[in-house]
Amino acid sequence: MTKLTLFYQETCPYCIHAKKAVRELQEENPVYSNIEIEWIEENRQPELAGQYDYYYVPTIFDGQTKLYEASPLHNYTAIKKHIRAAFDVVGK
């Protein structure tokens, strides 16, 4: 399985939803627990974040391939759906 890179900000409400969604998805499907996630707080590692092409957080990459970038229109349900889709890409 591939390691995912997930960019977030500590106080971002969408990122808080993403963390909750990851936990729930891993509880719902044990296969998802095998997916390694590198959590990068973009304010603490701006030099690393600057190497990736995204605007909103949370954003998930598989290598340099963007699998998900949040939108201000996404609620918890949408975020969880997109994270599940990203997990499904690498969890096979």
Side-chain angles (χ1 to χ4, degrees):
M1 281 195 204
T2 305
K3 175 178 78 172
L4 295 177
T5 303
L6 194 151
F7 291 95
Y8 74 101
Q9 291 180 352
E10 198 67 43
T11 59
C12 163
Y14 303 99
C15 300
I16 292 167
H17 285 322
K19 287 182 178 184
K20 178 182 176 188
V22 166
R23 282 192 308 272
E24 284 185 5
L25 288 165
Q26 289 175 335
E27 289 171 4
E28 293 168 10
N29 186 342
V31 171
Y32 295 152
S33 295
N34 296 326
I35 298 171
E36 183 180 350
I37 302 172
E38 180 180 15
W39 293 83
I40 298 175
E41 210 295 348
E42 69 173 17
N43 294 318
R44 292 189 193 132
Q45 297 184 49
E47 66 292 338
L48 182 57
Q51 297 174 20
Y52 290 80
D53 182 26
Y54 71 96
Y55 186 77
Y56 293 111
V57 289
T59 297
I60 301 172
F61 284 90
D62 176 11
Q64 289 292 321
T65 302
K66 187 186 318 177
L67 300 178
Y68 171 60
E69 181 172 0
S71 162
L73 302 176
H74 288 173
N75 60 17
Y76 174 76
T77 302
I79 291 169
K80 185 175 179 180
K81 180 184 99 175
H82 287 284
I83 292 173
R84 178 183 288 116
F87 281 3
D88 287 341
V89 167
V90 299
K92 295 180 179 180

